[in-house]
């Protein structure tokens, strides 16, 4: 392992079919004024809303509901939530839903006591909180983002045509606890399930195809990818397969709780491309990543050829005999694309509602990062979007 680093993850996880049993004792550790944050009506249809409200009432909490958090939560929705939280003197946030709800809750947690507008401070200047941070607990209903065990938050500003992520440095932004019952993910439509699966896979790739290679982080990443691929086929065939869904949920957590980033510089350019696409189309996050991945990885393959060879052999089982490195690496990406199509992922941005009239805004919305094998220019970003239109 090269470089110096500190690793600490304070989130306590409760995993399994009885995980919700731990909500009551956890809630008793925190304040009485709770913001109950959730999305649409799915948790009411499933009965989870009633279960959670029963526990909140049993523990004597005063509850302020912040509902309707959308798939790509907006800055206006965040400002609305801040007003509700302040009016109710919220001192704890319980977020119930998928990654978007959890991301929203973190942005809310750092904004309730902040006098400045959260977009300017956190998503434009990327400053850290200087105010008290309200603690968060989560109940996860969709596997994908890893938001249940990290300090990341993504917010969209439709007016500025930007979707921006901020990984906060403070451990206080991380959930204090996360409740993870794989059965709660089984009501998701298949489209959302496979979008989440690819979000997990790309989180791993963003750390794997980057910076210093051949460290324990890479070996862990390969194991996570192989497990996810196996579980994805089983889950698509039978969405009620508990073992497959539990493996996917656990893969998602370890894909982005910062463990496999250690010893790496990290890339994250597929996310920058996908987030720009998502800001303009409001498309599902995992699908935007899927549509941009293959063009991007083919584009940088020669810059990180030894790693793409390793990826082909160790993740996709490509036999290197009789092949040169370029052939091995290319076959690995072909196998990856075949898997993506097998499980129902989108591979063209046209399928997500993008058209060429958006091209300038798509390019302008991409932040250029320098942690991967190649630092893109804006002209190269344009080439990548043009390639993604052709697919």
């Amino acid at each position: 392992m090269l470089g110096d680093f500190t690793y600490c993850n304070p989130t306590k996880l409760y995993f399994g079919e009885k995980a919700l049993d731990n909500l009551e004792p956890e809630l008793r550790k925190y304040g009485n004024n709770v913001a109950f944050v959730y999305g649409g009506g799915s948790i009411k249809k499933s009965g989870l809303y009633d279960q959670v409200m029963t526990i909140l009432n049993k523990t004597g909490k005063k509850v302020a509901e912040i509902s309707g958090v959308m798939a790509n939560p907006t800055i206006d929705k965040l400002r609305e939530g801040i007003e509700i939280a302040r009016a109710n003197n919220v001192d704890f946030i319980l977020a119930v839903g998928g990654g978007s709800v959890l991301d929203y809750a973190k942005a809310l947690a750092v904004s309730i006591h902040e006098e400045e507008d959260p977009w300017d401070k956190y998503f434009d200047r990327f400053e850290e909180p200087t105010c008290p941070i309200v603690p968060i607990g989560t109940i996860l209903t969709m596997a994908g983002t890893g938001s249940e065990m990290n300090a990341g938050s993504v917010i969209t500003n439709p007016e500025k045509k930007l979707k921006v992520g901020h990984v906060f440095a403070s451990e206080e932004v991380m959930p204090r606890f996360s409740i993870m019952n794989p059965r709660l993910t089984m009501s998701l439509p298949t489209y959302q399930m496979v979008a989440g699966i690819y979000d997990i896979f790309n989180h791993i790739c963003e750390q794997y195809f980057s910076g210093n290679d051949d460290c324990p982080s890479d070996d862990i990443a390969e194991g996570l990818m192989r497990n996810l691929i196996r579980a994805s086929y089983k889950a698509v065939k039978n969405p009620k397969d508990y073992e497959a869904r539990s493996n996917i949920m656990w893969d998602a957590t370890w894909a982005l709780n910062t463990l496999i980033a250690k010893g790496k510089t990290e890339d994250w350019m597929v996310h920058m491309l996908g987030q720009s696409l998502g800001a303009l189309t409001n498309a599902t996050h995992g699908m935007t990543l899927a549509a941009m991945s293959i063009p991007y990885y083919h584009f940088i393959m020669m810059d990180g050829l030894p790693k793409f060879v390793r990826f082909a052999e160790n993740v996709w089982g490509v036999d290197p005999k009789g092949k040169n490195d370029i052939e091995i690496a290319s076959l690995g990406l072909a196998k990856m694309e075949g898997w993506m199509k097998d499980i129902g992922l989108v591979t063209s941005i046209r399928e997500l509602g993008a058209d060429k009239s958006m091209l300038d805004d798509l390019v302008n919305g991409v932040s250029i990062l320098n942690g991967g094998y190649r630092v893109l220019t804006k002209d190269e970003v344009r080439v990548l979007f043009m390639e993604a239109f052709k697919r």
Side-chain angles (χ1 to χ4, degrees):
M1 296 286 282
L2 299 177
D4 301 323
F5 60 82
T6 299
Y7 181 71
C8 177
N9 197 312
T11 303
K12 187 171 187 177
L13 302 179
Y14 295 102
F15 191 97
E17 296 189 72
K18 297 181 179 180
L20 192 62
D21 293 349
N22 298 284
L23 179 59
E24 180 182 338
E26 280 292 343
L27 285 174
R28 294 190 184 281
K29 300 175 184 178
Y30 301 99
N32 287 325
N33 299 326
V34 177
F36 180 6
V37 180
Y38 59 95
S42 60
I43 69 167
K44 292 185 176 180
K45 292 177 183 177
S46 70
L48 180 59
Y49 173 90
D50 289 336
Q51 290 178 279
V52 172
M53 282 300 298
T54 297
I55 296 169
L56 285 166
N57 291 330
K58 184 178 180 181
T59 53
K61 304 300 184 184
K62 180 182 177 183
V63 179
E65 295 188 33
I66 302 175
S67 62
V69 178
M70 59 287 287
N72 292 306
T74 65
I75 186 61
D76 285 342
K77 184 65 180 178
L78 176 58
R79 292 171 183 142
E80 175 191 313
I82 293 168
E83 291 182 9
I84 294 171
R86 288 174 177 171
N88 289 274
N89 297 313
V90 161
D91 47 25
F92 185 75
I93 300 168
L94 180 63
V96 182
S100 294
V101 172
L102 274 56
D103 280 8
Y104 176 91
K106 293 173 199 171
L108 181 65
V110 298
S111 301
I112 292 171
H113 298 296
E114 174 55 53
E115 294 182 1
E116 191 173 355
D117 184 78
W119 180 267
D120 296 337
K121 183 177 179 71
Y122 299 130
F123 299 97
D124 184 19
R125 300 198 305 272
F126 295 97
E127 294 177 3
E128 291 300 310
T130 52
C131 62
I133 300 169
V134 177
I136 305 169
T138 83
I139 301 173
L140 193 63
T141 62
M142 177 180 177
T145 68
S147 196
E148 65 276 6
M149 202 180 188
N150 65 42
S153 178
V154 181
I155 298 294
T156 297
N157 189 323
E159 182 181 351
K160 294 181 180 293
K161 300 179 181 179
L162 293 173
K163 181 177 178 180
V164 178
H166 185 161
V167 180
F168 291 92
S170 174
E171 295 168 15
E172 292 183 64
V173 182
M174 292 184 177
R176 298 296 199 271
F177 64 87
S178 287
I179 289 170
M180 303 169 63
N181 178 354
R183 292 213 182 275
L184 295 179
T185 71
M186 292 185 185
S187 62
L188 284 173
T190 299
Y191 184 89
Q192 296 296 330
M193 179 186 73
V194 298
I197 288 168
Y198 193 74
D199 195 13
I200 302 165
F201 192 82
N202 191 247
H203 287 162
I204 303 170
C205 288
E206 298 278 31
Q207 298 161 92
Y208 181 76
F209 291 120
S210 59
N212 299 313
D213 288 332
D214 195 23
C215 64
S217 296
D218 288 335
D219 291 286
I220 297 169
E222 289 169 355
L224 288 170
M225 286 189 277
R226 289 193 299 268
N227 183 272
L228 182 64
I229 293 162
R230 290 196 303 271
S232 69
Y233 278 117
K234 293 177 181 178
V236 168
K237 182 178 180 180
N238 176 15
K240 301 297 184 182
D241 185 325
Y242 179 83
E243 184 175 27
R245 299 302 289 268
S246 65
N247 285 346
I248 291 167
M249 180 174 256
W250 198 233
D251 287 334
T253 301
W254 290 95
L256 201 59
N257 65 1
T258 76
L259 176 70
I260 63 171
K262 300 310 172 188
K264 308 287 290 183
T265 58
E266 305 178 67
D267 189 348
W268 296 106
M269 278 311 304
V270 172
H271 270 67
M272 297 302 99
L273 295 162
Q275 285 176 187
S276 181
L277 178 60
L280 290 165
T281 63
N282 201 35
T284 301
H285 175 62
M287 292 300 183
T288 68
L289 302 180
M292 294 308 303
S293 286
I294 295 300
Y296 178 70
Y297 289 134
H298 275 293
F299 193 78
I300 68 164
M301 187 183 79
M302 295 303 297
D303 298 285
L305 186 60
K307 192 55 169 291
F308 280 93
V309 170
R310 174 175 168 170
F311 176 67
E313 294 177 0
N314 292 357
V315 176
W316 298 106
V318 173
D319 185 352
K321 292 180 181 178
K323 304 177 185 71
N324 61 39
D325 283 355
I326 295 175
E327 290 170 335
I328 296 167
S330 297
L331 186 53
L333 291 179
K335 285 182 172 288
M336 174 180 164
E337 186 171 8
W339 164 70
M340 292 167 70
K341 291 177 179 177
D342 284 347
I343 66 171
L345 288 160
V346 168
T347 56
S348 169
I349 64 175
R350 288 180 287 103
E351 296 176 69
L352 299 175
D355 62 65
K356 291 185 180 179
S357 69
M358 299 176 179
L359 187 57
D360 287 344
D361 287 331
L362 286 168
V363 174
N364 291 335
V366 174
S367 298
I368 304 294
L369 306 180
N370 61 4
Y373 297 128
R374 183 187 185 107
V375 180
L376 299 179
T377 66
K378 284 290 187 177
D379 286 341
E380 289 172 331
V381 169
R382 184 177 294 272
V383 168
L384 287 169
F385 278 119
M386 289 299 294
E387 180 61 31
F389 275 117
K390 296 176 185 177
R391 301 180 65 78

